[in-house]
Amino acid sequence: SENVLLLKVGQRKNNSARGKITLERITTPMSAIKDGPLEIAINTISIYKIQPQNNNQKQRENDTYQTSKATNFYYTIHIDYNVKNTSSDSIQLNGLKSIVTSTGQDLGIDSGLVDDGTGLEVAPNANKGTAAEGLLNKGDEKKIDKVTLQFDEAVNADSFDSLGTAQPMDFELK
């Protein structure tokens, strides 16, 4: 997913690959999830309305989310996060495992979630920013008041030894 960088509700951006993007809702939790030696800071949780302007854009989105739900307009949830490695080894994050919404939708890698943080390697004592985005069920964009984020395990980037899995964390949506 591409970082859209809209920070005020109602802001719009035209994107050549996706179409017209409008920020519908945004929450800035600024809280961290511990995943082994990684600290995952959730910067923003946003809901976007995306309106493809042509068939190529519709096809690209349907391919991205492995669906046919990306029609004239649809909504996505976007999680912008930063990963900090507090250890002296290179650590790999296996990404965001799922986003579960208060409306009961469970977004995972095989069900409408695209995560740039899957397989993200972070050097010792370094930070990396990344994002994940999921396709929402139509009608849920206004009803969701909470999301639960579950990150997958962190592993040593050389040995692939597991360094633990974060506990699921709830975030209120404004």
Side-chain angles (χ1 to χ4, degrees), residues 69-140:
K69 292 180 188 168
T71 53
N72 294 337
F73 71 93
Y74 57 95
Y75 295 87
T76 63
I77 186 163
H78 186 93
I79 315 291
D80 185 76
Y81 63 98
N82 191 67
V83 182
K84 179 181 179 185
N85 180 357
T86 62
S87 81
S88 55
D89 296 315
S90 282
I91 305 296
Q92 180 179 310
L93 175 65
N94 287 335
L96 187 57
K97 198 174 185 175
S98 68
I99 302 171
V100 180
T101 69
S102 57
T103 55
Q105 189 175 1
D106 187 346
L107 295 161
I109 294 302
D110 57 352
S111 57
L113 178 66
V114 178
D115 181 17
D116 294 342
T118 302
L120 182 76
E121 191 171 320
V122 186
N125 302 303
N127 284 291
K128 268 193 183 167
T130 190
E133 192 167 38
L135 184 63
L136 293 174
N137 290 331
K138 271 203 181 134
D140 281 4

Side-chain angles (χ1 to χ4, degrees), residues 2-161:
E2 176 182 330
N3 197 345
V4 181
L5 283 179
L6 298 175
L7 298 172
K8 288 197 168 89
V9 170
Q11 276 185 321
R12 288 195 175 120
K13 177 179 180 175
N14 282 312
N15 178 295
S16 59
R18 302 184 79 183
K20 187 164 71 173
I21 300 172
T22 307
L23 180 62
E24 296 285 313
R25 297 170 68 187
I26 187 167
T27 300
T28 51
M30 294 302 183
S31 43
I33 298 171
K34 202 116 176 64
D35 197 346
L38 299 180
E39 290 175 6
I40 303 164
I42 307 302
N43 300 321
T44 58
I45 300 173
S46 309
I47 293 181
Y48 291 111
K49 180 179 185 178
I50 301 181
Q51 297 167 279
Q53 302 299 300
N54 59 50
N55 286 335
N56 286 347
Q57 291 172 347
K58 281 183 199 168
Q59 191 59 53
R60 177 192 178 277
E61 296 299 285
N62 280 314
D63 291 348
T64 297
Y65 295 110
Q66 300 166 3
T67 185
S68 58
K69 292 180 188 168
T71 53
N72 294 337
F73 71 93
Y74 57 95
Y75 295 87
T76 63
I77 186 163
H78 186 93
I79 315 291
D80 185 76
Y81 63 98
N82 191 67
V83 182
K84 179 181 179 185
N85 180 357
T86 62
S87 81
S88 55
D89 296 315
S90 282
I91 305 296
Q92 180 179 310
L93 175 65
N94 287 335
L96 187 57
K97 198 174 185 175
S98 68
I99 302 171
V100 180
T101 69
S102 57
T103 55
Q105 189 175 1
D106 187 346
L107 295 161
I109 294 302
D110 57 352
S111 57
L113 178 66
V114 178
D115 181 17
D116 294 342
T118 302
L120 182 76
E121 191 171 320
V122 186
N125 302 303
N127 284 291
K128 268 193 183 167
T130 190
E133 192 167 38
L135 184 63
L136 293 174
N137 290 331
K138 271 203 181 134
D140 281 4
E141 65 279 354
K142 288 186 174 32
K143 294 181 200 160
I144 296 168
D145 57 11
K146 184 184 81 171
V147 294
T148 304
L149 303 183
Q150 172 68 63
F151 281 87
D152 211 333
E153 66 181 349
V155 298
N156 180 296
D158 297 319
S159 68
F160 296 104
D161 289 340

